[in-house]
Amino acid sequence: MTSPPHEPADAAPAAPTPGEAIEASVFSFLQHRIRDVMFVLEVLPSGRYRFVYVNAAFEAATGIPPAAVVGKFVEEVIPPESIDLVRENYRRALDSGASVHWDEISEYPTGRKVGEVTVTPAPAPDGLGRLLIGTVHDITERHQAQARLAELEERSRLALEASGSGSFDWHAAGDRVFVSEKCRQLLGFASDSYELETLRLPRLVHPDELPLALGTLARLRAGVDDTFSLELRMRHLYGHWIWLRCQGRALRNGDGRLERVFGACSDITRAKEAEDAMERASLVFAHSSDAIAISDSAGCIVMVNPGFTRMRGYERDEIIGQTGEVYDAGMERDGRHEALRLQALRTGHAQGEVWSRHKDGHPIAEQRSLTAVRVADGAVRHYIEIASDITKAKKDEERLWRHANYDSLTGLPNRHLFLDRLRQAIRNTHRGEHPAFSLLYIDLDQFKEVNDTLGHPVGDQLLKEAAQRLLRCTRETDTVSRIGGDEFTVLLVDLDSLDNEDPHVIERVAHGIIEAMSQPFQIEGETLHVSASIGVTHFPADGGDADSLLKHADQAMYAAKHLGRNRFAYFSPAMQARAQERRRTSDELRQAVARGELQMHYQPIVELATGRIVKAEALLRWRHPERGWVSPVEFIPLAEETGLIFDIGEWVFRTAVSDAARWRGEGCEIQVSINVSPLQIAKGGASFARCMEFLASQRLPRHAIVIEVTEGTLLQHDRNVEERLRELEERGLALALDDFGTGYSSLSYLQQYRFEFLKIDRAFVGNMQTDSRQLALCRTIIAMAHTLGMRVISEGIGDEQAAELLRHAGCDYGQGFYFHQPMPAAPFEQLLRARDLPPALH
């Protein structure tokens, strides 16, 4: 009769030491809270790799669930563009036996990911294969680290819950095994006893652990061992594998023969999973680029990772036992560190941007999260601090913000920031924070001449000094901005906080700026004189939005310039009407070119000694279909502002050259003068080149065409101007200096360029009388020109007396209404034919 089985008391696993418990808890927590992706690869023959584990962060980072990854080969998961780099680094890690790090950029369903990847080779748990354990630090998703840590903490806690133990008792006499109820539950057994033949080990034990189990049993039977302890996987009745820790001893009779083997088995499946998880968490902890510090409930640091040392400069022995005050003290005046601690204490977790200090003293901007880990009774056991260094990102952000909002030369707010503050002032006015405000639009007079004559470095220094003078003329509450070139704005808000008894506060500010700018500038040994023209607008009277207000202030500034500069002017509706009229005229001029509304007229130029027509000046005219003839004084400046001057100038040149070529082909020799805008000379580019090609195609004799330029063209001191004027000479065109005496009249221009003609402006000719100062000036100009080898053309001759006085003064040619008015090409051609008829036919 078989005796009842003896069921020993359940064997409990050995209790961990306090240090092991802390480490297990911490690593378990970190495994599920670290935001880095973690994966484990099985290394297969022929250089293939298969996923055996990925953490939850893998799906968060890639959008691919773990179930779709585990068991797959790497080429089935990793994007094709990254697979060669990945395999190469896997081989490096396996060949070297050390960790390999690299940066990897891949496209996943969640988007483009940039990761800092680390793989470390490790032996498989059975010692028969190799694994690659990897982590990926997602640079773009640092804020998700704490969420993954929370998940890792929960999984580790469940994995580490103690499992129950069952007992077994094998009797050699009957070759029968008796199992306890708990053991039956663990393995799904139906009965409480079995013959050993029934419980065949090859059927129950996992193949990987079968040699260990058979070897243990053989040593017990042979008397080599009397006790045993082993961990192995066994098949559950339902077919799945569970990990068991089996411990026991052998009982022998007097002659040493084996009689019984009894012991206990406990389910350590979860513990095994937790152990694997802790091992992975330990790797993550060691290889994370974030600084991780674990402190006790009092805030004293008990553990740091290598990332902490890299980021903060403190070695482990220097920081253990210290508090965060070592690197936090004095870095936050608004109490952010304390706020984070209090929030973590209250809610369990807190995160935010804070500043700390490196061991060497330099500040560190960081994204920090703080988690309070509590025990069963709710008391805080540990604090886990995870920090990412964002110093470079913060500096880049600040640099980009400053670059986007401040002028690099003067340090003043730029146009972008000015408009932002202007719109904010409008909103504040609507909210009633101040009743109104004013805008001053400032342009420096004569700045272009300084820039062109002395160079941009001097001009830049002048702008910087002008900015400082503006700041001295305004208050800290006002906004002084440079919105481009030599244009500044001043936003005057809180006007009611100024001297309320002075009704002209805006005038006082404007006069102060004008006075400050009129003072000489001492720059690089030069004494420079500029002035300021200021346009003034008020909100809301002069515009309901920022664009309108700024546009109207600009119009008022131009009105101040037209009034003589060095003054200020207020915006008025009349200015707006004139501006609208200019825009309308500009649009119509653009259409006039396409519609053929432009015409070329010619004004004859006579030889004063003979009265014969020998030259003509080509003059552009615009016949508007509704307004009639539009003055060139009105539309030429618009053409220069809008850039139409290049198309119009090219049309004028082609038309005048074509007419001159046709007249010469018909036997009428005439020299035609063409006015050229300074812009055409300085910036004509392709248009200038096309004009020269067309001129060459007409095969005109040298000096058949005269190019008239003004002194304003020469004032630019532009190399392009010099080169193109010389090119005109080389191509056989004569040069005439127009409007001489009205500008700077620098004799250096006459010496530098080979002008064939010098034209006296009509301002010296009108109402000319005998022995007048006008006549004396004309005689001087004529004598000087003849001495330099130039011939003189006098414009604006309106009567016979002026013509005779100029002829006696030695003037070569005359032009004006006294001789002929400008006329279209056809009447002028008839006039030329009549000129060339024999005297009897006139």
Side-chain angles (χ1 to χ4, degrees):
M1 183 172 179
T2 305
S3 61
H6 172 68
E7 181 171 337
D10 291 353
T17 66
E20 291 174 341
I22 291 176
E23 184 176 0
S25 173
V26 169
F27 282 144
S28 174
F29 174 83
L30 289 175
Q31 180 186 0
H32 294 276
R33 295 297 296 272
I34 284 291
R35 63 185 179 176
D36 289 353
V37 170
M38 182 178 64
F39 61 90
V40 180
L41 297 172
E42 181 183 4
V43 180
L44 300 174
S46 302
R48 303 199 72 186
Y49 310 93
R50 180 166 55 203
F51 283 95
V52 296
Y53 173 80
V54 293
N55 65 346
F58 187 96
E59 181 174 6
T62 66
I64 306 174
V69 176
V70 174
K72 296 290 185 66
F73 294 103
V74 292
E75 58 267 22
E76 298 179 87
V77 178
I78 295 177
E81 66 270 16
S82 302
I83 192 65
D84 291 339
L85 174 65
V86 167
R87 284 174 171 159
E88 178 185 350
N89 284 294
Y90 288 172
R91 285 193 298 270
R92 286 177 53 206
L94 291 170
D95 292 343
S96 65
S99 297
V100 174
H101 314 274
W102 74 93
D103 290 346
E104 181 179 325
I105 303 175
S106 300
E107 294 287 345
Y108 288 104
T110 54
R112 188 181 181 86
K113 297 294 180 181
V114 182
E116 297 175 349
V117 185
T118 298
V119 294
T120 303
D126 57 6
L128 299 179
R130 302 189 75 183
L131 300 177
L132 280 175
I133 301 174
T135 61
V136 183
H137 178 63
D138 189 344
I139 299 172
T140 62
E141 297 180 349
R142 295 180 182 272
H143 63 280
Q144 296 182 355
Q146 202 58 38
R148 289 197 290 272
L149 282 176
E151 179 184 354
L152 193 58
E153 177 191 28
E154 180 63 15
R155 289 173 55 196
S156 297
R157 185 185 65 83
L158 294 174
L160 291 176
E161 287 182 351
S163 60
S165 298
S167 64
F168 61 89
D169 188 1
W170 172 67
H171 291 240
D175 201 18
R176 193 168 187 82
V177 179
F178 298 88
V179 294
S180 68
E181 178 66 25
K182 187 62 179 181
C183 191
R184 291 173 54 197
Q185 293 175 1
L186 290 177
L187 294 170
F189 289 170
S191 175
D192 58 0
S193 65
Y194 294 88
E195 292 183 358
L196 188 59
E197 182 64 22
T198 304
L199 299 179
R200 294 178 60 87
L201 291 182
R203 187 177 65 85
L204 286 177
V205 178
H206 192 280
D208 291 345
E209 284 83 42
L210 181 59
L212 175 63
L214 292 175
T216 300
L217 184 57
R219 285 193 298 273
L220 290 172
R221 285 182 170 178
V224 177
D225 294 330
D226 288 331
T227 61
F228 63 92
S229 177
L230 68 162
E231 296 177 354
L232 70 168
R233 281 170 287 182
M234 297 189 69
R235 190 189 304 275
H236 191 275
L237 178 64
Y238 296 150
H240 61 274
W241 299 99
I242 62 171
W243 275 98
L244 294 179
R245 178 181 288 116
C246 300
Q247 297 172 304
R249 65 179 298 115
L251 294 181
R252 304 181 185 279
N253 57 19
D255 58 4
R257 292 176 57 191
L258 184 64
E259 290 187 345
R260 294 173 59 191
V261 176
F262 67 91
C265 60
S266 58
D267 186 350
I268 60 169
T269 303
R270 292 186 177 180
K272 276 289 189 180
E273 293 174 353
E275 182 181 336
D276 292 341
M278 282 192 296
E279 183 179 356
R280 293 190 294 267
S282 176
L283 290 171
V284 171
F285 182 81
H287 295 95
S288 174
S289 61
D290 289 339
I292 304 173
I294 301 156
S295 57
D296 59 21
S297 58
C300 294
I301 297 173
V302 298
M303 187 180 297
V304 295
N305 74 330
F308 182 98
T309 297
R310 289 193 298 269
M311 176 172 160
R312 304 198 187 280
Y314 292 96
E315 296 296 334
R316 181 181 181 279
D317 294 340
E318 296 177 301
I319 202 68
I320 296 298
Q322 304 286 337
T323 67
E325 283 294 310
V326 171
Y327 47 84
D328 286 344
M331 292 306 297
E332 293 289 351
R333 297 180 180 178
D334 55 1
R336 291 190 185 180
H337 294 114
E338 182 64 14
L340 278 178
R341 191 188 69 80
L342 292 176
Q343 184 181 350
L345 190 61
R346 184 174 63 256
T347 65
H349 176 71
Q351 64 179 9
E353 291 184 4
V354 296
W355 284 88
S356 64
R357 193 177 299 279
H358 191 273
K359 180 183 176 181
D360 65 13
H362 75 261
I364 303 172
E366 60 181 76
Q367 178 72 34
R368 183 184 295 182
S369 66
L370 188 64
T371 299
V373 182
R374 301 179 185 275
V375 293
D377 62 0
V380 174
R381 183 177 183 181
H382 295 101
Y383 288 102
I384 297 182
E385 175 186 295
I386 302 177
S388 302
D389 188 345
I390 59 172
T391 307
K392 184 178 183 302
K394 293 293 286 186
K395 289 181 178 179
D396 291 344
E397 179 183 340
E398 181 180 356
R399 183 167 54 252
L400 288 174
W401 183 88
R402 187 159 190 86
H403 178 74
N405 291 279
Y406 283 86
D407 175 47
S408 59
L409 176 64
T410 64
L412 297 177
N414 62 10
R415 187 182 190 90
H416 177 270
L417 183 55
F418 160 73
L419 288 173
D420 181 71
R421 293 187 179 179
L422 178 58
R423 295 184 180 105
Q424 183 61 44
I426 292 173
R427 289 192 291 269
N428 292 344
T429 300
H430 287 316
R431 289 196 294 263
E433 296 183 17
H434 47 70
F437 64 87
S438 295
L439 172 63
L440 277 60
Y441 196 110
I442 305 160
D443 183 85
L444 299 183
D445 306 320
Q446 297 93 31
F447 175 76
K448 187 176 186 301
E449 287 79 357
V450 172
N451 221 21
D452 290 343
T453 56
L454 299 178
H456 291 287
V458 173
D460 289 347
Q461 290 298 318
L462 191 150
L463 289 173
K464 292 169 69 174
E465 174 60 25
Q468 292 304 310
R469 294 187 184 187
L470 284 174
L471 289 172
R472 290 194 290 269
C473 293
T474 55
R475 304 160 300 160
E476 292 185 359
T477 56
D478 301 325
T479 297
V480 180
S481 307
R482 181 189 177 208
I483 61 174
D486 60 340
E487 296 178 334
F488 299 84
T489 57
V490 176
L491 189 61
L492 297 173
V493 297
D494 298 331
L495 294 180
D496 55 341
S497 66
L498 294 176
D499 188 359
N500 291 323
E501 297 180 0
D502 186 350
H504 305 296
V505 61
I506 305 302
E507 285 84 345
R508 287 196 293 108
V509 174
H511 279 303
I513 293 173
I514 290 172
E515 175 66 22
M517 294 302 170
S518 65
Q519 298 301 313
F521 288 79
Q522 302 294 333
I523 298 176
E524 295 187 5
E526 298 281 351
T527 300
L528 307 178
H529 296 273
V530 298
S531 58
S533 296
I534 305 175
V536 183
T537 52
H538 300 295
F539 181 83
D542 295 332
D545 56 68
D547 293 338
S548 298
L549 205 63
L550 186 62
K551 177 180 64 177
H552 294 165
D554 183 37
Q555 293 171 4
M557 182 272 292
Y558 275 106
K561 282 187 176 294
H562 293 155
L563 291 173
R565 303 182 177 182
N566 198 32
R567 66 191 64 211
F568 67 92
Y570 288 99
F571 171 77
S572 68
M575 292 182 192
Q576 176 68 6
R578 286 195 297 271
Q580 291 176 347
E581 177 64 22
R582 284 171 60 83
R583 283 195 299 272
R584 185 172 66 86
T585 303
S586 176
D587 293 340
E588 291 173 342
L589 178 60
R590 192 178 301 276
Q591 298 171 3
V593 177
R595 293 174 180 175
E597 297 173 4
L598 300 181
Q599 297 183 16
M600 186 63 69
H601 287 197
Y602 297 90
Q603 185 173 28
I605 299 174
V606 302
E607 188 177 44
L608 290 178
T610 64
R612 179 178 173 80
I613 300 173
V614 295
K615 301 161 67 66
E617 181 178 3
L619 299 170
L620 179 63
R621 295 293 182 261
W622 177 17
R623 189 180 186 111
H624 192 279
E626 298 177 358
R627 299 163 58 191
W629 293 106
V630 181
S631 170
V633 176
E634 180 179 352
F635 72 80
I636 290 298
L638 280 177
E640 291 178 332
E641 291 178 14
T642 59
L644 283 173
I645 192 65
F646 301 113
D647 292 338
I648 293 175
E650 188 173 346
W651 180 86
V652 168
F653 187 87
R654 285 173 172 268
T655 303
V657 169
S658 297
D659 288 344
R662 186 178 74 254
W663 295 331
R664 284 183 175 271
E666 295 173 356
C668 300
E669 292 190 4
I670 191 75
Q671 191 178 49
V672 177
S673 297
I674 303 173
N675 292 286
V676 177
S677 165
L679 284 176
Q680 292 176 263
I681 296 295
K683 301 180 180 179
S687 175
F688 182 88
R690 288 193 296 269
C691 288
M692 294 301 98
E693 291 176 4
F694 181 77
L695 175 67
S697 69
Q698 299 302 301
R699 301 183 181 279
L700 287 169
R702 290 184 64 84
H703 290 195
I705 301 296
V706 179
I707 299 299
E708 295 189 9
V709 298
T710 63
E711 287 181 305
T713 304
L714 309 179
L715 279 173
Q716 299 183 49
H717 295 281
D718 191 320
R719 183 176 296 275
N720 287 337
V721 172
E722 298 177 9
E723 293 177 354
R724 283 175 181 164
L725 288 178
R726 288 192 172 87
E727 183 179 350
L728 291 175
E729 296 177 37
E730 294 170 359
R731 289 181 177 271
L733 287 88
L735 295 180
L737 183 60
D738 197 7
D739 299 336
F740 186 82
T742 61
Y744 288 85
S745 302
S746 173
L747 298 182
S748 65
Y749 301 146
L750 303 181
Q751 181 182 3
Q752 184 176 0
Y753 302 103
R754 298 183 60 180
F755 289 102
E756 185 171 335
F757 301 101
L758 187 149
K759 299 190 74 172
I760 299 176
D761 188 79
R762 66 184 67 248
F764 295 95
V765 177
N767 301 317
M768 180 178 288
Q769 301 294 326
T770 304
D771 298 328
S772 65
R773 291 176 62 85
Q774 292 172 301
L775 180 58
L777 286 171
C778 288
R779 284 173 176 165
T780 302
I781 294 172
I782 293 168
M784 177 195 67
H786 286 170
T787 302
L788 294 175
M790 293 184 289
R791 285 170 288 176
V792 181
I793 304 171
S794 181
E795 297 180 302
I797 300 177
D799 53 41
E800 183 179 4
Q801 181 181 6
E804 284 300 308
L805 290 173
L806 288 167
R807 183 174 65 82
H808 285 294
C811 185
D812 301 287
Y813 305 102
Q815 175 182 357
F817 286 176
Y818 171 67
F819 301 110
H820 297 283
Q821 293 189 9
M823 60 192 72
F828 179 71
E829 188 174 344
Q830 294 175 1
L831 185 64
L832 288 180
R833 290 197 180 99
R835 176 202 68 173
D836 294 333
L837 289 175
L841 298 179
H842 275 277

